[in-house]
Structures are given as structure tokens and as C-alpha cells.
Amino acid sequence: MTRPGKASSAVPAADLAPLAARVLPWVLLAVLAAFPLLAPVLGLEYWLGFVRRLLIVMIAATSLNFILGYGGMAALGHAGFIGVGAYTVVALVDAGVGSAWLAWGAALAASALAAAAIGALSLRTRGVYFLMITLAFAQMLYYLAVSLSAYGGDDGYGLYTPLALGAGIDTGDEAVFFWVVLAIAALVFALFSRIAASRFGHALMGIRDNETRMSALGYPVFRLKLAAFAGAGALAGLAGALLASHNAFVSPSLMHWTESATLLVMVVLGGLGRRWGAPLGVAVWLVLAEVLKLHTEYWHWPLGLLLITVVFLAPRGLAALFARAGRAA
Amino acid sequence: MSASLFSAQGLVKRFGGLVATDHVDLAVEAGEIHALIGPNGAGKSTVVNLISGLLAPDAGRIVLDGVELTGMPAHRRVRHGLSRCFQVTSVFGANTVFDNLLLAVQAHTGSSFRCLGRRSADTRLHARALALAHELGLADVLHRVAAALPHGVQRRLDLALALAAEPRLLLLDEPMAGMGPEDSAQMVALIRSLRERCAILLIEHDMDAVFQLADRITVLASGRVLATGEVGDIRAHPEVQAVYLGSEAAA
């Protein structure tokens, strides 16, 4: 609880002042990097795995925030790409591949291809039709996974052997795997921040705000959206691959449509189109869920109330709320 | 016809049973301001959308400077020198004027697929956006949010966005729409000053503005070209007077 708590209090402050915004991410990174060493001392071993899962989900949520918040593409099939990534790892492990980098890299590539193909068709539609068609494709992937009896079908597939990370270490080492996930998540987040400030990012936001005008300005709107969609799909696939190693297990439930919806909810909660929106939303949602589960069976209720409250009182998300409070202070 | 900078030949567009554009021929010469007029529902906006590529024609062809634009997506037509403004002001309202201009200029300076360099470090982009702001008289409002600007200024920004493409033919869809006399006069002066830069196809309801600006006029009625000619000929054209000018005068 200590670490994720710190994560969520550092995030809003990032919007406060330029100096804080530059320093706090590094402080956060340092704290997280020290966590595997501190956890055994503080008796927080259980939370090591939890924070690692948090970081993995943040990668997926950040990629969704990129197409939804920056690109205006309301996709409800993101879990499908998480699944493509996870099942790519399953397929490679089943075929005898033992290298984590090879498996994860292949997952990245496979989900990029899947997203490019699905995007090429879906992006011809807009709004609620786009939402429905991305959902439909994700459901097709879900039932495809269910029917893959070679990989356990409905029952899923256990990944009993940890993947090799090189130099004699593997994903079975809790701390090392944590650091690897942290490094990848930090890299993805830095990349995302960089892209948001780039020519590509500005073009994407222009498309979100006024697609017809962007086309009339000479922008290849469709190709720009497709590139963003494929890139986001690739990162969701990477998250799926990491999740496969994290859980040492993959099943179709990973790509159930409610997973896509939960991801969407976390991004909206944190703040659509805001730099810290996705990590903040994931941290708040998953930490609350975890804590509430310890106390009550009916843990969905308070989460639902939280979502309703945020939608009414801070429709632009928690990140926007904290940014405003920061300016007022 | 072939010597014209721009020509549209035999354009047809049907919406179900309605023929919105019925074999329309249109030619714009280099350096010309060509006005397209007609009563409400004559199909002027449909013609503009066909030319700019927002709609696909059922028949006909569109040629600019020897390049066949028919069937080309809208954004590629812009690259070939055909730029447009919108009847309803279409700017990026939540952004500042400068960000609007940067976005317009970016479309024509280098690839927008570059995703690692920060755009704020691109000095060439900034210089061009700034130059555009000065040319269009937007330098004073550079850091204002576009949606908060008066209507007339937003129209000027809309025009600036279209000019960033350095078009050879500019389509202006009712640039004076919703403007008071003062803003209209300013816009007329501004459009006249653009004559040096590009040919203009001007769709406009304000007949004073049309007669002040146009070299030639094409009159559209019920999707068909009723007449094309010099300003004087159109004014004197009996059918045009009956269909359009007459009804306007009576209104």
C-alpha cells in the first residue's frame, strides 16, 4: 500500500510547477526502483507483485490513453491486443522458445500487425460504430483463444518455466523481473510523453479536435490514425506479454470485453488526454479494488460510486482535478 | 479550356433522387477571382465539396494545373495546390491562434509521422507560422484562444489556415457569412490582396462583395450552370436577373 499510495500523490503534483514536474517523476522512479530492496525489510513482499502488475496495466492504459485521449478514437477492444501479446508468448513458449526478449519482442510485433489489420478496417468508421467494431474484433479474438485447444482453450495455459532474461537470470527472480518491468514501463511512458509533444502527437490531437479540417489542411488523416492505432496495439500487446510472464498463466479471460471496459474506465477516471491520466487512473482504481477486497465482498459498489462522483465532479479526470488544485494553491 | 489553371468538367452529384450538381463546367484562370453565385439550394456548397474532395462526384473530372484531381483524397488535393475555407468557421477553438497556425504550417513542412523530436524545437515551423500571422493581421492575437476571438477574426484565422498550404487555387465558401459591414469590408480588402498569391473561387451571397471582387461570375441554379461571364454581362443577363438578382432585390 505504501508505494502505490506514494505513486498517486506524486502524480498530480507533476502538474503543479515546472520544477516539480521535472523532479517528481525521477523521485517516483527512484522510490519504485528501491522498492524490491525495501519490501522484504518492511514485510511488503506481497505488494511487490501487486505493484508490478500495476506497472504492466499502466503500459496498456497509457497506450489506450494515446489513441482515445489524444487521438479521439473510442476503442472498446484494447484487451484483444493484450491477448494477442499474451498468446504470442504462449505460442513461442509452447514451441520451445526460452528467451524473454524474443518472446516479448514477438508479442510486440504480432499485436502491432493485428492492430494494423483491425485498424485498417475499423478506422473507416467513427464514434459509436468504431466502438462496436473494435469490440466485435476483440470478441472474435476472445473466441479464437477459447477455441485454441492446443493452448488450453477455456482453461488457459500455464507458463511453468520462467523466461530467460540473459546473464543467467530469468523472470522467476521477483526483484529482477520487477526492475525489468519498471524499466519498460518508464521507457514506454517517456516515449509516450515524447510522442505527445512531437509533430505526430500534434497532428493526432488536431484530428481528434477537427478531422475534416485536418484533411482540408492536407493531413493524411487515415494513415496517421492507423499508425497511432497500430502503435497503441503494439504496446498493449507488450503489456499482455509481460502479464503472461507475471501471472505465469494465460487464459482467454484476459481478453474478455469487460477487461477492455475496465481499462477504458481507468483512463477516463485518471484523465483522458492527460499525460499522467492513465497511470493515475490505474493506480487509484487497482489500489482501491485491492484494499476494498480485503474488507468486503461488495467491493464493486464503492468503485462504482467513485466513478460516478468523478464523472460528475471532475469530468476531465483526476489528473485535471489535481492540476487545477495545484494552480489554485 | 485546357489553358485554364483549373477546370471542372461535367460534374454530376446525385443524392438519392435529387440531382444536386447537374453537369457543371467551371474554369478558373490563373490570377483570377471567379465568383460562384446562386440562390439558396442552388448547389454551391456541393460543388465546393466535390472540388475539394469531401464528396465524390458521380461523373465528371477535375483538373488543376494539368494534374487530374478526380478521385484523389482531399488531403492530396491540398498538396497539389487546392486549398479551401469552410462556410462555418472551422478552426481549432480550444487552441491558441499560434497553435492553429503551427498545425496548418506543419502539414506542409516535413512529415507528420515524425514522433520523437519535440515540435516546439522546430524553429522553421515557428518562423513560418509567425510570418503567416503577420500577413493576415493576426500577430496581436497570437496567444489568444481561437474560440474566444470575435467572429471576424476567426474567419481571418480560417483563411490563414487555408493559405498555409500556399495554394494555387483557393476555395472560399461564403467568407463573409455572418459578418457585419465593417468586418465584411476588411475581408473584401484581404481577399483582394490575395489575388497576387493565388486564383480564387469565391462562393458568396453578399452581391456587393461579389461585384467588387470578381473578374468573372458563374451563376448556378438548381444544380446547373445558368450563365458564366464577365461581371457586366452577368448583371445584364435577363435570366440571371429573374432567377437570382431579381429575387434577391425583391426579398
Side-chain angles (χ1 to χ4, degrees), chain A residues 279-321:
Chain A
L280 185 59
V282 170
V284 169
W285 188 262
L286 291 184
V287 168
L288 276 178
E290 198 69 18
V291 171
L292 289 169
K293 269 183 212 168
L294 295 178
H295 298 285
T296 168
E297 214 177 305
Y298 306 104
W299 56 275
H300 288 100
W301 276 96
L303 279 182
L305 283 176
L306 169 74
L307 185 63
I308 292 169
T309 312
V310 166
V311 165
F312 276 106
L313 297 182
R316 287 158 66 212
L318 293 172
L321 195 70

Side-chain angles (χ1 to χ4, degrees), chain B residues 176-187:
Chain B
M176 260 71 87
M179 277 190 180
E182 203 175 311
D183 282 339
S184 281
Q186 263 190 17
M187 187 54 93

Side-chain angles (χ1 to χ4, degrees), chain A residues 191 193-195 197-203 206-207 209-210 212-221 223-224 227, chain B residues 54 74-75 78-79 84 86 90 92 103-104 106-119 122 158 161:
Chain A
L191 186 73
S193 303
R194 199 65 194 253
I195 292 174
S198 74
R199 295 167 61 99
F200 182 71
H202 280 97
I207 292 168
D209 294 341
N210 192 341
T212 309
R213 190 33 147 161
M214 287 298 279
S215 174
L217 285 178
Y219 283 96
V221 167
R223 279 192 290 135
L224 286 164
Chain B
L54 288 190
H75 69 90
V78 184
R79 309 231 148 166
R84 72 168 291 179
F86 288 82
S90 185
F92 299 89
L103 200 55
Q106 184 192 319
H108 309 284
T109 38
S111 168
S112 283
F113 286 93
R114 287 213 304 256
C115 59
L116 289 179
R118 287 179 193 283
R119 190 180 74 167
D122 193 334
D158 198 327
L161 297 185

Side-chain angles (χ1 to χ4, degrees), chain B residues 212-234:
Chain B
Q212 279 179 62
L213 286 168
D215 300 304
R216 284 194 309 150
I217 298 177
T218 293
V219 185
L220 213 58
S222 310
R224 251 176 304 223
V225 173
L226 196 64
T228 297
E230 308 272 321
V231 176
D233 301 336
I234 296 296

Side-chain angles (χ1 to χ4, degrees), chain A residues 60 75-88 107 110-112 114-115 118 134-145 229 232-234 236-238 240 252-261 263:
Chain A
L76 187 52
H78 223 53
F81 304 126
I82 293 177
V84 171
Y87 272 93
T88 304
S111 45
I118 289 172
T134 48
L135 172 63
F137 275 117
Q139 286 298 88
M140 282 163 64
L141 291 171
Y142 172 79
Y143 285 109
L144 177 68
F229 192 78
L238 176 64
S253 66
L254 207 60
M255 52 211 310
H256 194 261
W257 75 271
T258 52
E259 295 297 314
S260 297
L263 210 54

Side-chain angles (χ1 to χ4, degrees), chain A residues 135-281:
Chain A
L135 172 63
F137 275 117
Q139 286 298 88
M140 282 163 64
L141 291 171
Y142 172 79
Y143 285 109
L144 177 68
V146 168
S147 70
L148 284 175
S149 51
Y151 302 136
D154 238 347
D155 299 330
Y157 187 96
L159 297 159
Y160 303 111
T161 324
L163 293 170
L165 289 163
I169 43 178
D170 60 43
T171 56
D173 184 324
E174 293 290 320
V176 170
F177 187 30
F178 182 95
W179 282 318
V180 168
V181 168
L182 177 62
I184 292 174
L187 207 64
V188 165
F189 194 70
L191 186 73
F192 156 75
S193 303
R194 199 65 194 253
I195 292 174
S198 74
R199 295 167 61 99
F200 182 71
H202 280 97
L204 202 62
M205 287 185 271
I207 292 168
R208 172 194 67 194
D209 294 341
N210 192 341
E211 192 168 326
T212 309
R213 190 33 147 161
M214 287 298 279
S215 174
L217 285 178
Y219 283 96
V221 167
F222 179 77
R223 279 192 290 135
L224 286 164
K225 282 167 84 172
L226 185 58
F229 192 78
L235 289 182
L238 176 64
L242 295 175
L243 213 51
S245 295
H246 171 84
N247 294 334
F249 176 73
V250 172
S251 85
S253 66
L254 207 60
M255 52 211 310
H256 194 261
W257 75 271
T258 52
E259 295 297 314
S260 297
T262 307
L263 210 54
L264 204 68
V265 164
M266 288 190 283
V267 175
V268 170
L269 182 74
L272 273 178
R274 300 212 154 241
R275 192 175 168 214
W276 291 93
L280 185 59

Side-chain angles (χ1 to χ4, degrees), chain A residues 61-109:
Chain A
T62 296
S63 75
L64 181 62
N65 189 25
F66 185 61
I67 53 169
L68 180 61
Y70 289 76
M73 294 170 251
L76 187 52
H78 223 53
F81 304 126
I82 293 177
V84 171
Y87 272 93
T88 304
V89 171
V90 166
L92 289 178
V93 167
D94 196 64
V97 170
S99 158
W101 305 113
L102 186 61
W104 297 343
L108 195 76

